[in-house]
Amino acid sequence: MKTNTFKTFLFTAIVMLIFLPLQADESISINDHQYNFYSGNFDFSDHKQKAILVGFQHQNEGLERNTFLGNASPITGGFITENSAAYVYTGVEWNYAIGDNIKFTPSFAPGIYHEGDGKDLGHALEFKTEVQ
């Protein structure tokens, strides 16, 4: 059952990444959208609950705004683990340039988590923070 859910999510994510840009509004340039597909480890330090994950994230750079906290833009995405745990989120990413070659990019995104056969995080509402 875990494998079928994972394969269904993977197929759906690939189809969305291919066809979503084709449905974009004509007034918004495709170049303003950034789609990221990633994989990694979920809870790598807990040997009983660690799992491989696959995810995607969309960022609309056409909606960037300069704020007192830096250059902010919205992000939306989600991931699923091999244990059928899933997380869907939407939030904000800030971009800071430190010199010419270094960029610091923190993000914050609240979202909905479903544990599936994976780790119980205690509540459906969870918060994702990230630093790149």
Side-chain angles (χ1 to χ4, degrees):
M1 172 126 169
K2 294 178 190 177
T3 305
N4 289 337
T5 304
F6 183 75
K7 287 179 182 177
T8 302
F9 174 78
L10 185 60
F11 174 76
T12 304
I14 291 170
V15 168
M16 285 176 54
L17 290 173
I18 292 170
F19 291 108
L20 192 59
L22 299 176
Q23 299 173 0
D25 185 0
E26 291 178 13
S27 64
I28 298 174
S29 168
I30 290 292
N31 295 334
D32 289 343
H33 296 271
Q34 183 179 59
Y35 300 94
N36 298 308
F37 190 77
Y38 60 91
S39 66
N41 253 350
F42 181 78
D43 205 3
F44 71 93
S45 62
D46 185 351
H47 297 293
K48 295 178 185 174
Q49 293 292 325
K50 69 179 176 180
I52 297 198
L53 67 83
V54 176
F56 66 94
Q57 181 170 297
H58 169 259
Q59 180 179 5
N60 186 344
E61 294 175 353
L63 297 176
E64 287 181 343
R65 300 289 183 263
N66 287 319
T67 69
F68 69 96
L69 294 173
N71 183 296
S73 63
I75 56 170
T76 303
F79 67 77
I80 189 165
T81 72
E82 66 181 311
N83 296 332
S84 302
Y87 182 63
V88 178
Y89 60 87
T90 187
V92 179
E93 178 177 281
W94 293 272
N95 299 298
Y96 301 98
I98 303 171
D100 292 333
N101 297 324
I102 300 174
K103 291 186 180 179
F104 176 67
T105 309
S107 66
F108 173 77
I112 304 296
Y113 176 76
H114 173 68
E115 72 179 88
D117 295 329
K119 188 167 191 162
D120 180 7
L121 296 181
H123 201 274
L125 177 64
E126 295 293 333
F127 300 92
K128 173 185 165 294
T129 56
E130 180 179 0
V131 175
Q132 297 179 19

